Amino acid sequence: MSSSSGSNAPQAPPVHIPKPIKFLFGGSAGMGATLFVQPLDLVKNRMQLSGEGGGQKMYKNSGHAIRLIIKNEGPLALYNGLSAGLLRQATYTTTRLGIYTTLFDMVSGPDGKPPNFLMKATIGMTAGGIAALVGTPAEISLIRMCADGRLPVDQQRGYSSVFNALVRISKEEGVVTLWRGCGPTVARAMVVNAAQLASYSQAKQFILGTGYFNDNILCHFVASMISGFVTTVASMPVDISKTRIQNMRVIDGKPEYKGAIDVLSQTVRKEGFFSLWKGFTPYYVRLGPHTVLTFIFLEQLNRLYRQRYGNSS
């Protein structure tokens, strides 16, 4: 029997989005955002490797890096490693969202009451750490593909795609190499998730408390940029150690670095303490917009799903 029209008509129940679809949309939203921020990822990686070991710095700042890359390698070089960036989102973001949502439901009260802030931070760190473990092969491929253009032609690895990188790394250096730098990668993910969750929540609360903002995209963007700054400061030393370990070569059976602590100590000793935040600007500028774009794409995918399946009887 059809319901009567008018203002007193019963509201249709909200459309339930199945969990696998939520995970798919989360990974897809992250991949969509990566299409816009990949050049910043490339510049960040290049700057973190510039001046490595106390050598001459290739780039003075982010703008100089972009100009040199376009001049020497062409505009499309800013998208080197895009396939690896997309695979990283498909593996890392999907896994993180899936684990976070599952753990969130497990620790929520029987009445659906959400967990407290500390528990949210804990499951966020857990989800981020496990997801980083899954996403490390794509991460190491991305680092190497982004770094290739700064090397002389005879030293370039020349991966044609992320899948070519994965196959060649496995054959030439062993499957275990796909998880090189896994420790700092997981540590970075845990730091990022903890810092993002705490700072985003506090920033949003502060912004809404000023009375000048409503809870909309503008508020989310400003909160994301504040959160991005805090997260960048907290996570960059771990990130630069991850980047250098994953890009290092093993010469005559001897790796360039013994581990993450060795990277940090060598970097500080040879390049100065503040070089731990090398590539700060592109890292920061990438982090906030990537978060906002991911949420925008995710909301649109959810909206389209509800429109499509909310009308089906």
Side-chain angles (χ1 to χ4, degrees):
M1 188 176 290
S2 62
S3 59
S4 58
S5 59
S7 58
N8 294 326
Q11 292 290 318
V15 178
H16 173 71
I17 302 177
K19 209 172 265 188
I21 299 296
K22 285 183 180 179
F23 303 161
L24 175 64
F25 284 174
S28 300
M31 291 171 75
T34 293
L35 292 173
F36 291 87
V37 302
Q38 175 64 22
L40 295 170
D41 230 359
L42 181 134
V43 171
K44 184 267 294 183
N45 289 326
R46 290 282 186 95
M47 291 191 69
Q48 287 184 332
L49 295 168
S50 177
E52 188 173 9
Q56 185 177 5
K57 290 184 179 179
M58 187 176 293
Y59 309 115
K60 299 174 184 174
N61 52 47
S62 302
H64 182 236
I66 292 171
R67 289 195 300 274
L68 269 187
I69 291 167
I70 292 175
K71 178 183 175 182
N72 296 334
E73 304 169 50
L76 292 180
L78 292 171
Y79 278 89
N80 283 349
L82 177 61
S83 60
L86 293 173
L87 182 62
R88 181 178 64 173
Q89 290 299 320
T91 52
Y92 173 75
T93 303
T94 305
T95 304
R96 182 177 67 159
L97 181 64
I99 293 173
Y100 182 85
T101 306
T102 301
L103 292 177
F104 190 95
D105 291 343
M106 287 172 62
V107 299
S108 294
D111 56 351
K113 183 180 179 181
N116 60 37
F117 179 80
L118 182 60
M119 183 57 71
K120 286 179 183 175
T122 302
I123 63 177
M125 290 175 66
T126 302
I130 296 172
L133 187 65
V134 174
T136 296
E139 183 90 27
I140 196 170
S141 302
L142 173 66
I143 298 298
R144 292 184 173 196
M145 292 175 77
C146 286
D148 227 19
R150 61 186 273 278
L151 299 170
V153 175
D154 61 326
Q155 295 180 28
Q156 292 180 7
R157 292 179 167 106
Y159 302 134
S160 58
S161 70
V162 64
F163 301 108
N164 177 249
L166 295 173
V167 170
R168 282 184 50 194
I169 291 170
S170 300
K171 288 172 65 175
E172 295 168 9
E173 303 172 59
V175 175
V176 176
T177 307
L178 292 173
W179 279 271
R180 179 185 288 167
C182 184
T185 301
V186 170
R188 172 192 170 277
M190 295 178 75
V191 170
V192 165
N193 276 275
Q196 267 187 333
L197 186 64
S199 58
Y200 182 84
S201 172
Q202 289 302 115
K204 186 178 176 184
Q205 182 180 338
F206 172 78
I207 291 167
L208 291 174
T210 64
Y212 294 107
F213 291 85
N214 295 316
D215 193 355
N216 53 24
I217 287 178
L218 178 60
C219 170
H220 302 162
F221 178 79
V222 175
S224 292
M225 295 308 289
I226 295 172
S227 170
F229 183 84
V230 174
T231 305
T232 299
V233 172
S235 64
M236 277 212 76
V238 185
D239 190 71
I240 196 169
S241 66
K242 172 193 74 67
T243 299
R244 291 191 172 187
I245 286 174
Q246 291 178 330
N247 187 61
M248 74 177 179
R249 294 179 181 274
V250 178
I251 303 171
D252 296 328
K254 186 178 179 182
E256 293 177 73
Y257 302 106
K258 298 173 185 175
I261 302 300
D262 186 40
V263 174
L264 296 177
S265 62
Q266 282 198 46
T267 302
V268 171
R269 189 172 70 252
K270 297 177 181 178
E271 303 168 54
F273 177 74
F274 289 103
S275 63
L276 295 177
W277 286 270
K278 195 179 288 182
F280 182 95
T281 302
Y283 187 105
Y284 168 56
V285 172
R286 174 199 178 277
L287 201 58
H290 187 274
T291 302
V292 174
L293 286 168
T294 299
F295 280 129
I296 290 173
F297 287 135
L298 185 58
E299 290 297 336
Q300 291 305 308
L301 288 169
N302 289 337
R303 182 180 64 81
L304 291 171
Y305 182 92
R306 292 189 180 100
Q307 283 181 348
R308 171 67 179 82
Y309 293 99
N311 296 328
S312 58
S313 51

